[in-house]
Amino acid sequence: MTAAFEALLAAGGTGTADDRADGDGRNDDGEDGGKSAGADDASVAPAVTPAVTPAADTAADTTDALARRGAELKARQKARNATPLKTVLRRVADIFVPLIPALIGCGIVAGIAGLLTNLRWLPGLTPALTALSSAFMALIAVFVGHNTAKEFGGTPVLGGAVAAVVVYPGVAKVTAFGTALAPGQGGVLGALAAAVLGTYVEKWCRARLPGTLDVLLTPTLTVLVSGLLTLYVLMYAAGEVATAIGTAADWLLTTTGALAGLILGGLFLPLVMLGLHQALIPIHTTLIEQQGHTVLLPILAMAGAGQVGAAAAVYVRLRHDTSLRTTIRSALPAGLLGVGEPLIYGVSLPLGRPFLTACVGGAAGGAFVGLFAMLGTEVGATAIGPSGWALFPLLAGGGGWAVTAGVYGGGLLTGYAVGFLATYFFGLPDGAGRPVCDPEKHEPRPADRPGPRPASPR
């Protein structure tokens, strides 16, 4: 009784008359306090006896550890990506990312116009919708030049002015390397190069001209020097590069569609980790400008499908890890819509193997879409940015929207299924799904406790 009494005082309890017993087990009236002491021992014992940690606490600790590991991996990868090449790629991406909302809006309007044209509905409205969706793409070079100059420290309007020459109809009268130029030749790549050149010319002039001449001569020399070099060098060179990109993309899918889809879909998640996926943004934009859609984005979107399938398998296998399952439930809707970062850095990458099996699912989905492209059913996207289910309104292809959506949906289902199966059977170590504690008595099993098995208290 004395030990229980001291424990109660240490816990801050006040006690009752029966609790305030002396050292021989009797209360102030001299009556035997054994009965009350026994009752008090039962009530005090839970406060001083360490409770066995339930499985939910262990699961919460495991999920917290995974979250911390994911944050560390993300920070470590970010520091590792701070190389000169990847810094340039990020700056290039920052030029095109502000254009994505306009690309999405115009792409959806273009899809509506195409649907109305195929159904032969509202023929008087279709030309207006076509004009709305095409106007931005006709002048996208100007916006690229504006953003490029802003990103590289020049005057944005001068960058737009230099890049505007790329889309000016009058360039058809200019001849470079014995060939007449075409309006829009070089596209966004030519506009990007022209604006970068204009920025360096502007900085060179501002560093050498006095203030009185700077206001007049710097803009003039920037437009003149950069514009002439754009007309006679950059437009032709960028046009050749843009044409090669379009030809290579078409050849890749029509000749080696399944293999190309397998490689692109399987490697896209590692490219995202390394920061190299940003180099694809100008390529997507060039394809949209040339062909009206990019055939690469639907294949790359299969990587997200593999990620969703892998997360679903982790959810099923780790039935007793309630905290991790809660994380997956909250991140899965975003993953279905193409936002994969919560699943990557919160689930698959910290666990290790599920990241690799997610790549397997992406490869399978990409091979599915690539196979149909090789058979003649091409799947493209009229804008960049959305992925997963959010890409359905932006799909385009030669077989009509319904056929294109069917192929794309089949690729998603393939990515989900293969990612799930690969993760379920190979993505987690043996015994990962077993409970940490016995579900009925919450007592750690001997195999889960370090050291020799203690004697049972019962």
Side-chain angles (χ1 to χ4, degrees):
M1 176 61 194
T2 303
F5 176 67
E6 291 175 353
L8 181 61
L9 290 179
T14 58
T16 63
D18 291 336
D19 298 328
R20 295 188 294 271
D22 53 18
D24 58 1
R26 298 180 178 274
N27 58 19
D28 294 340
D29 297 333
E31 298 174 352
D32 190 279
K35 183 177 181 180
S36 63
D40 290 340
D41 287 342
S43 63
V44 171
V48 297
T49 302
V52 178
T53 303
D57 293 340
T58 305
D61 293 341
T62 303
T63 304
D64 291 341
L66 286 175
R68 287 193 298 270
R69 185 180 177 190
E72 292 172 0
L73 289 172
K74 188 174 183 179
R76 194 181 310 153
Q77 195 63 44
K78 183 177 180 181
R80 191 181 302 169
N81 288 340
T83 61
L85 174 61
K86 294 174 183 176
T87 300
V88 171
L89 292 178
R90 279 196 297 272
R91 297 187 73 176
V92 172
D94 290 339
I95 295 170
F96 290 91
V97 167
L99 304 179
I100 290 179
L103 287 171
I104 294 174
C106 294
I108 292 177
V109 173
I112 295 173
L115 182 62
L116 293 177
T117 301
N118 293 333
L119 296 176
R120 297 181 181 180
W121 291 355
L122 303 176
L125 181 62
T126 303
L129 295 178
T130 303
L132 290 175
S133 63
S134 303
F136 174 74
M137 293 306 303
L139 298 175
I140 190 174
V142 179
F143 296 98
V144 170
H146 179 279
N147 291 349
T148 301
K150 182 179 180 180
E151 179 65 27
F152 284 86
T155 303
V157 69
L158 288 179
V162 173
V165 71
V166 174
V167 295
Y168 177 60
V171 298
K173 301 178 181 179
V174 179
T175 301
F177 299 98
T179 304
L181 298 177
Q185 184 174 340
V188 294
L189 298 180
L192 175 66
V196 170
L197 175 63
T199 299
Y200 282 104
V201 172
E202 179 187 359
K203 290 181 178 180
W204 187 90
C205 293
R206 293 195 187 281
R208 289 164 175 78
L209 295 176
T212 53
L213 298 177
D214 178 58
V215 177
L216 296 175
L217 293 182
T218 296
T220 304
L221 292 176
T222 299
V223 173
L224 181 62
V225 175
S226 304
L228 289 176
L229 287 175
T230 299
L231 285 171
Y232 289 104
V233 179
L234 295 181
M235 281 187 65
Y236 179 84
E240 294 298 315
V241 173
T243 302
I245 290 175
T247 303
D250 291 338
W251 177 87
L252 193 65
L253 293 182
T254 56
T255 306
T256 63
L259 178 61
L262 183 111
I263 295 174
L264 292 174
L267 294 181
F268 187 64
L269 287 179
L271 286 178
V272 172
M273 279 188 57
L274 297 174
L276 298 177
H277 67 293
Q278 296 166 340
L280 298 173
I281 297 178
I283 297 176
H284 289 314
T285 309
T286 299
L287 291 175
I288 293 173
E289 190 179 34
Q290 280 187 346
Q291 305 176 0
H293 58 266
T294 169
V295 295
L296 299 180
L297 183 59
I299 293 178
L300 299 177
M302 296 300 115
Q307 181 69 44
V308 169
V314 173
Y315 183 88
V316 173
R317 282 289 304 272
L318 302 183
R319 296 186 300 274
H320 301 279
D321 196 337
T322 56
S323 297
L324 182 59
R325 283 162 64 92
T326 301
T327 301
I328 294 174
R329 281 199 305 268
S330 62
L332 206 55
L336 291 172
L337 294 176
V339 182
E341 283 78 4
L343 290 176
I344 292 175
Y345 293 105
V347 180
S348 64
L349 193 57
L351 289 175
R353 270 195 271 178
F355 181 80
L356 299 178
T357 52
C359 294
V360 173
F368 182 91
V369 177
L371 175 63
F372 276 88
M374 189 167 57
L375 296 176
T377 305
E378 186 180 82
V379 179
T382 57
I384 58 177
S387 184
W389 293 2
L391 194 61
F392 274 103
L394 299 171
L395 294 177
W401 184 87
V403 176
T404 302
V407 174
Y408 179 74
L412 289 179
L413 294 177
T414 302
Y416 295 153
V418 175
F420 179 90
L421 294 175
T423 305
Y424 189 89
F425 291 106
F426 307 106
L428 294 169
D430 294 336
R434 65 183 181 180
V436 179
C437 294
D438 293 331
E440 294 183 356
K441 299 180 180 180
H442 296 288
E443 181 181 355
R445 294 191 303 270
D448 296 324
R449 289 184 299 210
R453 178 180 181 180
S456 175
R458 297 181 294 276

